[in-house]
Amino acid sequence: MFIDSHCHIDFPELAARMPEIRAKMAENAVTHALCVSVDLPDFPRVLALAEAYPNFYASVGVHPDYEDTPEPTVDQLVALAEHSKVVAIGETGLDYYRLEGDLEWQRERFRTHIRASRATGKPLIIHTRAASEDTLRIMAEEGAGTDKGGVAGVMHCFTESLEVARASMAMGFYISFSGIVTFKSAKDLQAVALEVPLDQMLIETDSPYLAPVPYRGRVNEPGYVAHVAEYIAQLKGISVEEVAAATSANFFRLFSAARA
């Protein structure tokens, strides 16, 4: 079985096609999906999906790219994470690629999520783009990793260097690969995937974005996560069943509030 560890199926492109989305998941042996929150106003629709389907789970958090949205507090995140179908805090992190200027608000928001993770005992879903140095620094300062008494989590849709992957894994974080790893242009990322051990790896779609080959350019969906696993298996010279088993076990180990 395969698990999509990060998707946005509450987004309009996918939410209106839920029977089709679920049928495609079943067809491709994708058994579970984690619907990830990007802001608090839309969190209710994320939670509604997790409540409606036993194999869907939710996170709660505010994406670093969302500048004009209500700022979360630790208390808010902790309260919303009490729901049994909320298995993680995030997505959170830093993104210096899309936004410019004084981004201290991003860093403070990131710290808020780490503190909520420590308070709830639920893992973090971290987004980092063009900001790996500050991301790792704040993770260390706030004790995000298991090495500092935190809960750790996942570096989602990973596109950074092997050095960043190793630093993250040393903190107890998993490395998650999306459809990007299947792109012909992603040679550096493929080299990272080759080095990341299966016991610290997750797979995801980040749908509706970043559809893997052979669906690149189309709207992505959870059923396509099997193609990410197939590519990684080919890259590592192992069976797709081995990738599926390892990444699924890792999902339930990390997101311990989820149930197989």
Side-chain angles (χ1 to χ4, degrees), residues 6 17 24 39 48 52 55 65 78 81 128 130 138 151 157 162 166 169 188 194 203 234 247:
H6 190 114
R17 299 170 44 227
K24 180 65 72 173
D39 68 356
N55 61 332
D65 281 351
V78 168
T128 183
I138 291 173
V151 190
C157 194
L162 180 57
R166 285 173 171 160
M169 291 188 291
D188 290 346
L194 194 58
I203 54 175
Q234 182 181 10
T247 55

Side-chain angles (χ1 to χ4, degrees), residues 92-96 101-108 110-111 114 126-144 155 160 164 168 171:
T92 182
L94 301 176
D95 192 321
Y96 298 169
D102 184 359
L103 298 180
E104 184 59 26
W105 61 269
Q106 262 195 16
R107 293 184 281 275
E108 286 304 309
F110 187 24
R111 293 181 189 277
I114 296 173
I126 293 182
H127 167 113
T128 183
R129 191 173 185 191
S132 59
E133 183 176 346
D134 278 356
T135 299
L136 292 171
R137 175 179 59 81
I138 291 173
M139 288 165 65
E141 288 174 357
E142 294 290 337
M155 306 299 280
E160 302 296 329
V164 174
S168 302
M171 296 183 191

Side-chain angles (χ1 to χ4, degrees), residues 20-68:
E20 179 186 348
I21 296 298
R22 290 181 58 78
K24 180 65 72 173
M25 288 176 64
E27 178 184 329
N28 288 297
V30 180
T31 59
H32 299 77
L34 174 51
C35 187
V36 175
S37 169
V38 292
D39 68 356
L40 295 186
D42 292 335
F43 171 71
R45 73 186 190 192
V46 174
L47 185 60
L49 281 170
E51 290 178 325
Y53 302 102
N55 61 332
F56 286 170
Y57 292 92
S59 73
V60 60
V62 182
H63 194 289
D65 281 351
Y66 282 58
E67 187 172 5
D68 299 319

